[in-house]
Amino acid sequence: MAYLRMRGITKMYPENNVLANAEVDFEVRRNEIHALVGENGAGKSTLMKILYGLERPDRGGIELEGRPVHIGSPLEAGRLGIGMVHQHFRLIPDFTIAENVVLGVEPVRRGLFLDREKAQASVRAVIQEYGFSIDPSLRVRELTVGQMQVVEIIKILYRRAQLLILDEPTSVLTAQQIQKLFLTLRHLRDIGKTVIIITHKLGEVKEISERVTVMRAGRVVAVRDTAEVDERELSRLMVGKAASLQVRREPAARGRAVLELRQVCLLGRGQDHPLLDRVDLTVHAGELVGVAGVGGNGLAELEDVVSGLRRVSSGRILHDGQEITRLDARELRRRGLAYVPADRLHRGSSLTSSVMENMIIASHHRFLRGGVLRRRQAEGFASRLAERFSIEGDPRVPIGTLSGGNIQKVILARELASRTDFILFSEPTWGLDVASSEFIYERIMEIRGQGLAILLLSSNLDEILSLADTLVVMYRGRVVARLANSGAVSKELVGEYMLGLKEDRP
Amino acid sequence: MKRWSRWRELLAGTAGLSVTLGLSFLIAVALILLLSKQPLATIRWFFIGPFTNKYYLGNMLNTAVPLVFTGLGIAVAFKSSVFNLGGEGQVYSGALVTTVICLALPAANGYGGGLASLAGAMACGAVLAGLSGLLKMKWGTDELISTFLISSAVGFIVNYFITGPLDDPANNLLASYAIAPQYFLAGIFPPSRLNVSAGFAVLAAAAVFFLLNYTHTGYEMRMCGLNREFSRYGGINVSAYVVLPLVLSGALHGLAGGLAVLGTQHMAVKDFSFGMGWNGIAVSLIAKNNPLAVVPAAVFFAWLEAGAKAAMLHSDVTFEIAAIVQSVIFYLVTAQALYGALRRRKVRL
Amino acid sequence: MEANLKQKTTVLQRILGMRDFGVLVAALLIAAFFSIATPVFLTGYNLFNLLRQTAQLGIIAMAMTVLIVSGEFDLSVGAIYAVTGVVTGLLATKAGLNIWASALVGVVAGLGLGFLNGLLIATTRINSFIATLSTMMVFRGIALVLSQAQPFSLQLSFFMDLFGRAELFGVVPVPIVWLLGWGVALYLVLHRTAFGVKVFASGDNREAADLAGIKTMRVKQVGFLITALAAGLSAIISLSFLKTVTPTQGTGLELEAIAASVIGGTAMSGGVGSILGTFLGTLIMAEVRTGLVLLGTDAYVQDAFVGLVIALAVIINVRLSTKKK
């Protein structure tokens, strides 16, 4: 009955001790469009990588049409009729569509010479067979993103794939392009192909799929016929039950507007869909604004834009009423920007440098005399901070030898040490243990009480609901909701906004 | 306890290096056994020869002087995670500029003119290397390739000047006119050619060490070298630290060439600096890019060369043994050191 | 925009491609300049001479193009060129071996070194620029040790004719025949075979190529064999024509080869390049050299000029490949 059956798949990433897949069972029927949904880190990409031969499971097996198969590489997957369209296209820009499609399985004459006519003709045949309309002699460089995606699909079909995996295929497309893609997928299903589509956009799930598998925290939590499940239920399944955190939140004493984003847009290179779409956002003194959203919906871009690491395409950013739109990270630092980044191991710290050197990155100007760094003062500063934040270890050891929680404390200590009126947090407790998380929450509440304006970006809904005064939800680069965080705001409600079921037109 | 683990770390860090150097010596011995009809004497001259008299010893140390400067130049660049493969051309053109300035000022005061000529050499090296830095900053050109190609191109041009307009028909060498004697650096270890530039080399090593470890600029340079994203996040002007390390590196290379002219050559001789740039890379890598360790590493390299010279004079092998052993060391050391570094090199700006 | 441009191109441009067309125009302009400056330039004798002198460089540069397109460099070609020459010369003179066998062993030795280059890069994944820089020194050392740093001369008439001295139909010097033959072969390999497609794919977007099932490392390793073979062939032509071998021969050859390739429009970042373009690039370098000789300048002026051309080509190439991206 089942066309594909994955059984008891378990995969642990030893680098960060994350159990990406735990005893996952996953089934797909022949000739259906099957949606695989879940939040970021739910384990859906890992599962698909295992299916496509990019990762090996620690345990578990795969059966295709009832026969157990071993998939050790994408090549083997291809031989079994499995093809995958990645989120980031793997195309060669200087090659024509035909050349890209036949790459690796080129038709040859006399065993040696590339038969361009035949390549072109056979690609054209595939294009006609599946009802696409694109000229195979065009160079990929000249195509739109939507067309590039079509090329990726043709590439798979050319290799006679029966099972197509699409990894978040809609995230780079415009609304019209999405409709076109769905037409294609339905057509492919009608002529006998099977499609797995990874997404976290529930509207799309309803629109395109017959069945849906929901994953959360590395496990499958539900498998349903799409017709029998409504989007609310899917949303609840994806986000799970609310878990209230032990944080005491005093009523906010809201002051002046400290940071303002006005109609901020960011266009991605080679993407037709804007990454940030007319974002308006205001953070007041003494206020914690929490921005929630699933990955790929603009949170990471918002982080880069506010921290000055990426320049906006249009719109304005103000600090204390002054224009800071064009300032880069260095100039923002001079104005006192404090920022705890999501990527704490690469952006937030230099792992092979000492704790002291990490602590003074933004403030080493304070330890200078005539261009000479006064080491003793800097070390004193580092020791005092380490003590105040109860960071274990000598400030002279490389920060990479500390635990994840302690590294985050060093970053927090450094950022809070700069005299400032605004601070940006991105995923401040991701991957940390409970004790470290609570320590960080306490600090955040403490500085909020001191009247700092705080912008918190997080995909952890419990965190946002427990900490934020104002809740902002982003979906496909847009702000879709702006709510005062009273007791009436439920996790389910925010989840519906996050997954694109609801939208307030601001 | 802690101290013990640091020692162990140091030991682990030097283990690979010791193997490399040991292997190089084995190859030297093997080559001698292969090529020499009196291998024992040859081996003796090769290893001990440079220490048998003041002349050899002084010249060996003098050979190390430019290697200290080029080694420092490479260390500065490596510490900032940029690469300078143009050392050859920078040394050579530095030497030319020093010669030209000295020739243009035949009657100037020795100190003033000498300083001016060295400043010119440094500026020349700095501009050549800095150009690659600018190309990288503006257009993302791989500085590995551009430093090499620009330096090689410059080599041709320097050749032209040495053998053309500056050629002294009176000497039978492919070399320029000699500079005026007031520019000669004072010898400090007669009868050898060792001169005060050896002192400059030690001072330069100390200065670079201080710069990297105790100054604001050095801190920012090292931070950019270790993690460019983190540095940008922390508010450091990271694009400047693509250019500045190359400028410094080029200046040190230029100075190596300039001092070689004032101290040893007293004229610009065609191809005299061949190998100084490349060996600087090996010296810096042996020293693990530590400026203070560059000095002994340079002496070690000079020892190989001096040993081969002594073996050639007193026994029956050719000088090429040194070249081969050096090239083997170069290969092994670069392979070992860059194994990780160049693979990780996908740093965005 | 590109589509518009395409419609306006001439037949010739379509045959050559935009880049190659530009190089051809440059080559013709330089030729025109020297023809006016010195009447001797545009004589049949001189043109053959020009091509003959450019044969060794052209053979190596075209092979280098294949390698650069695949995303790698080989700085050791000059040293391999020397080793091939020295091994062949040694066997033919000191060991008294038949010249054919000697040449064969020499070329195979060179191929072995090329294989070593590829193996090193495949196993250590060091940047090929650095890796071949150090093998360049090692290989050069091998040439010096084998020859005891002495040049030697050969006297072997028929063989020499075949590779160096003879003239096809009494007019075309054989090195030109070898150059053209090698060029056509490489043209077919790079632009007409499935392997060629893999070369371009490996240099343009390695990840995509890997995912398409191309063994990109294998492709690059073959590239190193091709440059080594080119160095070997050039060395044989050189020793046949000059009747001498020196262990220092070919110093700087790698540089000129890269320059010719870059002038011919090969992108230093890989994925773009053509054999015809490189052939024209080699021609430009040869034109400049010969033209300067005919104008009566000495060798070092020519070198300096070549140096300038290289520096310029680097900068222009950088501009072009940035615009592309």
Side-chain angles (χ1 to χ4, degrees), chain C residues 276-297:
Chain C
L276 189 60
T278 301
F279 178 78
L280 293 170
T282 317
L283 221 53
I284 288 181
M285 304 244 316
E287 279 176 358
V288 171
R289 263 189 195 282
T290 331
L292 289 174
V293 171
L294 293 177
L295 286 175
T297 52

Side-chain angles (χ1 to χ4, degrees), chain A residues 444-460:
Chain A
I444 293 179
M445 285 296 108
E446 198 178 296
I447 55 169
R448 171 174 161 278
Q450 291 163 4
L452 258 72
I454 303 169
L455 182 60
L456 166 67
L457 313 179
S458 178
S459 53
N460 180 346

Side-chain angles (χ1 to χ4, degrees), chain B residues 283-296:
Chain B
V283 163
S284 175
L285 291 174
I286 290 175
K288 303 228 157 204
N289 304 324
N290 177 344
L292 294 182
V294 159
V295 177

Side-chain angles (χ1 to χ4, degrees), chain A residues 33-36 44 84-89 145-150 152-153 164-175 177-182 185 195-201 204 208 271 273 476:
Chain A
I33 298 180
H34 193 112
L36 179 59
K44 41 193 202 317
M84 182 158 177
V85 174
H86 299 266
Q87 224 177 326
H88 303 286
F89 303 140
V145 175
Q147 289 173 313
M148 287 187 198
Q149 193 169 55
V150 168
E152 288 279 15
I153 294 173
L164 285 77
I165 309 168
L166 291 99
D167 187 2
E168 301 200 15
T170 60
S171 57
V172 292
L173 302 183
T174 61
Q177 288 172 334
I178 292 174
Q179 285 315 311
K180 220 165 161 188
L181 171 71
F182 285 177
L185 295 184
V195 177
I196 300 174
I197 174 168
I198 303 178
T199 180
H200 42 235
K201 306 207 164 81
E204 292 170 2
I208 187 72
Q271 295 199 340
H273 185 76
R476 283 179 70 83

Side-chain angles (χ1 to χ4, degrees), chain B residues 286-327:
Chain B
I286 290 175
K288 303 228 157 204
N289 304 324
N290 177 344
L292 294 182
V294 159
V295 177
V299 171
F300 168 77
F301 243 69
W303 174 33
L304 283 177
E305 218 167 297
K309 254 182 211 155
M312 178 178 69
L313 282 174
H314 296 274
S315 186
D316 62 345
V317 291
T318 52
F319 182 62
E320 276 60 47
I321 284 189
I324 293 168
V325 174
Q326 282 180 346
S327 63

